[in-house]
Amino acid sequence: MKIGINARRLQESKSGVTNYMRHVYSRIEKMENYTPIYLDFSLFKKQFPTMGKTFVLLPETVTNVLFDLFFVNLLARKEQIDIFHGPSHVLPFFMDKKMRYVVTIHDLAFFYPNTTSSQFFTIYYKFITRYSTKHASHVIPVSENTKKDIVTF
């Protein structure tokens, strides 16, 4: 069974989310009958060279959002993924009916007032977290508190 992983965040420096991802995926790599496929910018540029060249010209925030919401799904389809994992709140638009989608939610701090995040970040993550939890086959909250927050919001 192929598990497609939105691995864009693995290219970032170490953080709680990237440490979580490395831990989970190292375990999946050891499991029989499961093959993790890391879906990231480098694979995208190999599979879709023309689009990959255009991608580089856009600001990083724009490319990250486009990748997470649209282009990662192109890769997942091309790789014939069985299960797609969004490790940090985000599942792509235009989901494939043949694929199962799993999303991990780390926290919902951006739902609370007085967060230090930009207005764009707050609006984007509120929208995409609601979308992802609604459309996921399975939602993984990383704590009981996050689970309660998901139910509340």
Side-chain angles (χ1 to χ4, degrees):
M1 181 169 292
K2 289 183 178 180
I3 300 175
I5 298 155
N6 182 344
R8 181 187 59 79
R9 299 268 322 250
L10 283 174
Q11 298 166 342
E12 298 173 2
S13 61
K14 288 188 177 184
S15 69
V17 173
T18 56
N19 289 337
Y20 162 82
M21 291 170 67
R22 286 183 180 93
H23 175 75
V24 169
Y25 302 143
S26 68
R27 289 182 172 238
I28 291 173
E29 288 172 353
K30 295 174 185 169
M31 296 170 66
E32 289 185 36
N33 303 321
Y34 289 95
T35 305
I37 308 291
Y38 296 95
L39 308 171
D40 60 15
F41 285 131
S42 61
L43 180 60
F44 180 77
K45 290 173 188 173
K46 286 179 195 170
Q47 298 284 3
F48 302 97
T50 306
M51 288 171 61
K53 289 176 187 171
T54 308
F55 221 51
V56 176
L57 303 174
L58 300 170
E60 184 179 10
T61 302
V62 174
T63 59
N64 290 345
V65 169
L66 289 174
F67 184 81
D68 289 346
L69 298 181
F70 300 101
F71 300 126
V72 73
N73 225 13
L74 293 174
L75 286 174
R77 286 184 179 129
K78 191 159 185 127
E79 295 291 328
Q80 299 178 333
I81 299 301
D82 300 299
I83 300 171
F84 177 90
H85 182 223
S88 183
H89 299 83
V90 182
L91 290 180
F93 293 148
F94 310 112
M95 295 180 177
D96 188 324
K97 302 282 187 226
K98 297 175 193 167
M99 237 181 281
R100 297 192 55 150
Y101 289 84
V102 176
V103 66
T104 298
I105 307 295
H106 296 272
D107 65 53
L108 297 180
F110 44 84
F111 275 84
Y112 292 97
N114 300 325
T115 61
T116 58
S117 303
S118 71
Q119 189 173 9
F120 169 79
F121 176 87
T122 301
I123 292 167
Y124 171 72
Y125 271 97
K126 280 182 177 181
F127 170 78
I128 202 60
T129 300
R130 285 183 177 124
Y131 169 84
S132 297
T133 55
K134 180 179 179 182
H135 291 90
S137 308
H138 189 75
V139 177
I140 303 170
V142 297
S143 70
E144 284 298 317
N145 195 53
T146 299
K147 184 177 178 179
K148 289 175 190 173
D149 285 348
I150 291 168
V151 172
T152 301
F153 295 111

